[in-house]
Structures are given as C-alpha cells and as structure tokens.
Amino acid sequence: MADLRTSICGVQLRNPVLTASGTFGYGLEFAAHADLGRIGAVVVKGLSREPVAGNPSPRVTETASGMLNSIGLQNVGVRAFVRDRLPQLARLGVPVVANVFGFRIEDYLEVLRVLEDVEGVALYEMNVSCPNTHRGGLEFGASAAVLYEAVSAAKSAARSRPLLVKLSPNVTDIAETARAAVEAGADGLSLINTLRGLAVDVRSRKPVLGAGYGGLSGPAIKPVALYMVHRVARTVDVPVVGIGGVASGEDVAEFILCGATAVQVGTASFWDPERASSLPSELGALLDSQGIRTPGEIRGALEMA
C-alpha cells in the first residue's frame, strides 16, 4: 500500500490531509463524528488576542457548488483555547495547527507569545486575510509590502515552531505575495483563503448574510485554487498546502500534482463530518491503483501543454 506519511516544514504527519481553519471548530466538536486519528492534522479556528463575538446572523448560506460565510472570526481567544481546548486536543493524538490572526501586528505577536509558552502545537498558520486597522481596513495579505512587515514580525515571535502563512486570493498577483511572505521568513504557505462574494435576496432586496459580503468556498473555487497553488509552487521553494474545494481523494491528488505537499479540507466537512478522515484511504487507493508508492512521487508532476 502507498505510504502517505508527509513532512511539512520538518513536522511529520501520518498523511497529507488536514482540516481547514474555521470549518472544523477546535477539532473537539468533530471527535464524536470522525476518527481524528486518521487525519494528518487539525487546524483550529483562528485564534485572536481577545475573544471575538463574530458577525450577526445569518452567517452561512449555500451557493451554486459552494458556500458563502461571514462568521466574523468568532473565537474564544487564545488564552481560553490554551486553558480549555488544547489539553483535550492533546489527548486525541492528532497534531494541532494553531491558526492565528490579528487586526494589528501587535495582536499577532501577543497570540504567538501565549502559544510559545505551551506544549501541544505542531505548527502555526498565520491568517493574513484580516483587516489591518492601522491601514484603514486593508487586508494584511493584500499588499506585498504590508505582508512582508507582518510576516517578518510574526516570524521573530514564532521561535519554537514553523510558521505557515495563509495567503489571500483577493490580490492581483498571488506569486508576488507568496514571494514577499517567504522573503519575510515564512517556512511554508497555505492557499487559498476564501474569495470575496455576495448572495442577494431579491424579495427583501438585501444581502442574505447578516454582514453583507462573505467568503466563497467549496467546489466552485477549486479551479482558482489549483491555478494559484500551481503558480506559487513554481515560484517559491517552501512547502505549499492547497486549500479550496477538496472533497475526494482525486481532489487531493490534483493539488499534489500542482505542487502541494498537503491539502486542507473545509466546506466538505459541513455536508459530511467524516469527509476529512475518509480522504487518506481514498488517496491511498488511488495511488495504489497507479502503482505509486508515495504522494511525493507525483508532487509537482503536472504536465502543462
């Protein structure tokens, strides 16, 4: 059988299938519905310096081949996570990736400072699709210069664990921001975050979501995600984690062919809580059927015309 063991920035995982931040709670919510021991790693909800209440409801709505969400980064805050959730996660035997965010660079640094003092976290993932309040609401990831500044500061605080940077697709050139993140010290990149979108109720003449705009995810964005992963994997020399519409073993293989070392499963967990835990066996069966021993054998092997 294919050997699915995968290494991301020196961290050893049992397979290349991770969950996506914001779609799997803190992992604990899915423990009764899925075998977390079959997942490569759990990426928890974004963690902030202080608790965040999130946006008004409704926060989620279905779209054609996808989902639109405007959760508003709701979370309990990093200290409550460390105190109440992380010890329980440690007992489940699955590597934990802590997704961190902030509205100022100082916020990122404080979250990382708290996490640096605890055990049980394998990797950090830095969400840069957040509004930078120092720059009038401009996303950290929307400008290569601003991104470089934020990642450089975060890397100086993330001394004990590798730092992934989760890139926004809402940019002119994803390769430019990828280079900026790596030059600033990112050990790896994850992409893509959601695309900006809007759902409209024609009867009320109002947005469907309580906050108006939202983030589009699911199968609808997979072609965009594959394109951006392929571009970034050919641009930088760090591990790339592919995100966007992953719902089958074939989807995982497609991202690996485009250069991804691993993938994250997001929207699929909403319609099937066991989807992430079932994908490693699907990927293994697909590789076995082609006589492929490891995912690394096909990584970046896409043949462009």
Side-chain angles (χ1 to χ4, degrees):
M1 295 182 64
D3 182 355
L4 300 183
R5 286 177 295 180
T6 300
S7 174
I8 301 178
C9 306
V11 176
Q12 301 299 316
L13 306 178
R14 57 177 61 90
N15 61 65
V17 178
L18 292 70
T19 62
S21 177
T23 66
F24 212 71
Y26 299 101
L28 301 170
E29 297 88 337
F30 282 75
H33 308 287
D35 183 356
L36 300 190
R38 296 167 61 189
I39 298 173
V42 167
V43 186
V44 302
K45 283 174 66 84
L47 302 170
S48 58
R49 184 174 188 165
E50 304 295 338
V52 174
N55 286 332
S57 61
R59 295 177 169 185
V60 177
T61 186
E62 282 192 75
T63 64
S65 300
M67 181 179 78
L68 200 66
N69 90 83
S70 182
I71 305 301
L73 298 167
Q74 177 204 357
N75 76 106
V76 298
V78 65
R79 291 175 181 80
F81 168 76
V82 166
R83 182 185 66 240
D84 303 327
R85 266 78 169 183
L86 189 56
Q88 297 181 63
L89 270 174
R91 292 193 286 270
L92 296 177
V94 59
V96 174
V97 179
N99 180 284
V100 303
F101 76 90
F103 303 108
R104 301 174 302 166
I105 289 178
E106 294 83 355
D107 297 336
Y108 285 101
L109 300 184
E110 179 61 16
V111 174
L112 289 168
R113 188 197 67 76
V114 173
L115 292 171
E116 282 282 290
D117 290 337
V118 300
E119 299 293 330
V121 175
L123 289 156
Y124 299 129
E125 181 182 66
M126 183 181 182
N127 179 2
V128 294
S129 298
C130 305
N132 180 353
T133 55
H134 280 342
R135 300 293 181 99
L138 175 74
E139 287 185 3
F140 283 97
S143 160
V146 175
L147 178 62
Y148 181 94
E149 180 185 5
V151 174
S152 180
K155 182 59 181 175
S156 69
R159 297 185 181 90
S160 64
R161 301 174 179 108
L163 178 71
L164 300 176
V165 175
K166 187 173 184 178
L167 298 180
S168 169
N170 303 305
V171 295
T172 302
D173 184 0
I174 192 74
E176 180 185 15
T177 51
R179 281 192 294 266
V182 172
E183 289 170 3
D187 299 295
L189 303 172
S190 54
L191 61 147
I192 57 177
N193 210 323
T194 56
L195 291 159
R196 295 195 195 100
L198 173 66
V200 174
D201 183 334
V202 297
R203 292 169 181 79
S204 69
R205 301 185 182 182
K206 295 179 179 180
V208 173
L209 296 177
Y213 300 129
L216 180 66
S217 63
I221 74 167
K222 193 180 86 168
V224 178
L226 288 170
Y227 161 72
M228 290 191 169
V229 164
H230 188 246
R231 281 218 56 204
V232 167
R234 296 171 67 183
T235 300
V236 298
D237 189 23
V238 298
V240 172
V241 180
I243 316 167
V246 177
S248 70
E250 288 204 7
D251 292 334
V252 180
E254 289 176 25
F255 275 95
I256 294 173
L257 281 166
C258 287
T261 296
V263 302
Q264 292 181 12
V265 183
T267 303
S269 294
F270 283 79
W271 75 71
D272 178 5
E274 295 181 309
R275 195 85 289 261
S277 60
S278 66
L279 289 192
S281 60
E282 288 186 19
L283 174 64
L286 175 62
L287 296 182
D288 288 342
S289 71
Q290 298 185 27
I292 299 167
R293 294 170 297 175
T294 69
E297 290 183 24
I298 63 169
R299 184 177 306 124
L302 181 67
E303 298 178 7
M304 298 292 287

